[in-house]
């Protein structure tokens, strides 16, 4: 197949404008040139991408598939530019860090901010992944370090204690479980849940914990942050599982009740994951030291 980024940009413009002439103008091509390029693109792919109509064009099924992929391609290119920009601007260091949902939404924002203030010449690429994905990426040398809550048997990595935390149940203030000081996970499965989005580490962990008991969660709504979980729970939508450190101490109109979980897996201590700490140098080593010595809130 022979086509280039100009062809893909033209295709996306035509698809979004639903018109060949307007799409061509958007990428600064003559209509005749755009028509020729589109014809060659369809020949290269072996399928028509548009159905021509009297007032414009509409995507075929093949065109819809290509549009999804083309948008992903351009999103990746923009990310590449963002990753490379610090080097062009004189940044002298870069650290690739992956972390699970828990760490990304609780401790890391403040701890990374402190590190970056101390090292203005460094950029950090933080991505959210599940703990197994992070451990494997570190073991393969794809990233500098990670923050995880699970050990993967057989992975050749070193885990260093970072932060101690626990999962707790949050319930509406008037919920039947709200008066308990502690509960078992099995006792909450008959109630609707407010969950973090599918694909997040805690979503996968919670659904697996229910499946281990032969149960399915009744998920009422999925949201994008632990604070949103607490707000939804406080408003009476359902119950939720969140790290204790992620429950806002103030600022909620209807704060949820907090109930301890009597489960061995409720202890979710976070660990910094590296291939070998003694082999680290430069800014990755500095970031590990900074994370391990970051100020702790003892309140």
């Amino acid at each position: 197949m022979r086509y280039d980024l100009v062809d893909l940009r033209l295709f996306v413009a035509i698809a979004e404008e639903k018109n060949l002439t307007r799409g061509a103008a958007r990428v600064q091509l003559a209509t005749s040139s755009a028509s020729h390029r589109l014809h060659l693109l369809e020949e290269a792919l072996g399928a028509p991408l548009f159905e021509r109509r009297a007032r414009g064009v509409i995507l075929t099924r093949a065109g819809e598939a290509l549009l999804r992929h083309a948008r992903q391609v351009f999103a990746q290119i923009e990310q590449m530019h963002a990753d490379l920009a610090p080097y062009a601007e004189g940044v002298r260091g870069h650290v690739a860090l992956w972390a699970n949902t828990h760490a990304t939404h609780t401790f890391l924002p403040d701890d990374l901010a402190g590190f970056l203030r101390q090292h203005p010449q460094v950029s950090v690429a933080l991505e959210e992944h599940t703990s197994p994905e992070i451990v494997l990426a570190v073991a393969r040398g794809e990233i500098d370090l990670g923050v995880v809550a699970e050990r993967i048997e057989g992975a050749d990595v070193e885990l260093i204690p970072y932060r101690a935390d626990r999962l707790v149940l949050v319930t509406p203030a008037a919920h039947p479980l709200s008066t308990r000081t502690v509960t078992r996970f099995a006792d909450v499965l008959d109630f609707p849940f407010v969950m973090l989005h599918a694909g997040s580490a805690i979503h996968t962990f919670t659904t697996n914990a229910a499946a281990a008991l032969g149960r399915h969660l009744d998920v009422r709504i999925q949201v994008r942050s632990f604070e949103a979980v607490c707000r939804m729970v406080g408003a009476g939508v359902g119950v939720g599982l969140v790290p204790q450190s992620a429950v806002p101490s103030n600022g909620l109109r209807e704060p949820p009740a907090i109930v301890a979980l009597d489960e061995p897996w409720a202890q979710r201590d976070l660990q910094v994951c590296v291939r070998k700490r003694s082999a680290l140098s430069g800014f990755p080593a500095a970031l590990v030291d900074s994370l391990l010595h970051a100020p702790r809130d003892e309140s």
Side-chain angles (χ1 to χ4, degrees), residues 119-141:
H119 299 85
Q121 73 277 44
V122 182
S123 68
V124 175
L126 173 63
E127 294 186 22
E128 182 180 319
H129 294 271
T130 64
S131 290
E133 291 171 338
I134 297 167
V135 171
L136 292 177
V138 170
R140 291 192 293 255

Side-chain angles (χ1 to χ4, degrees), residues 121-194:
Q121 73 277 44
V122 182
S123 68
V124 175
L126 173 63
E127 294 186 22
E128 182 180 319
H129 294 271
T130 64
S131 290
E133 291 171 338
I134 297 167
V135 171
L136 292 177
V138 170
R140 291 192 293 255
E142 296 173 2
I143 57 175
D144 297 305
L145 64 144
V147 178
V148 301
E150 300 175 47
R151 176 181 293 275
I152 307 301
E153 293 300 326
D156 187 17
V157 297
E158 185 176 341
L159 298 177
I160 311 162
Y162 170 47
R163 297 280 188 150
D165 209 351
R166 287 190 64 84
L167 288 180
V168 296
L169 176 74
V170 287
T171 78
H175 194 274
L177 295 175
S178 65
T179 57
R180 297 189 184 184
T181 56
V182 64
T183 187
R184 297 297 302 272
F185 183 57
D187 296 336
V188 310
L189 294 176
D190 290 329
F191 299 101
F193 270 74
V194 178

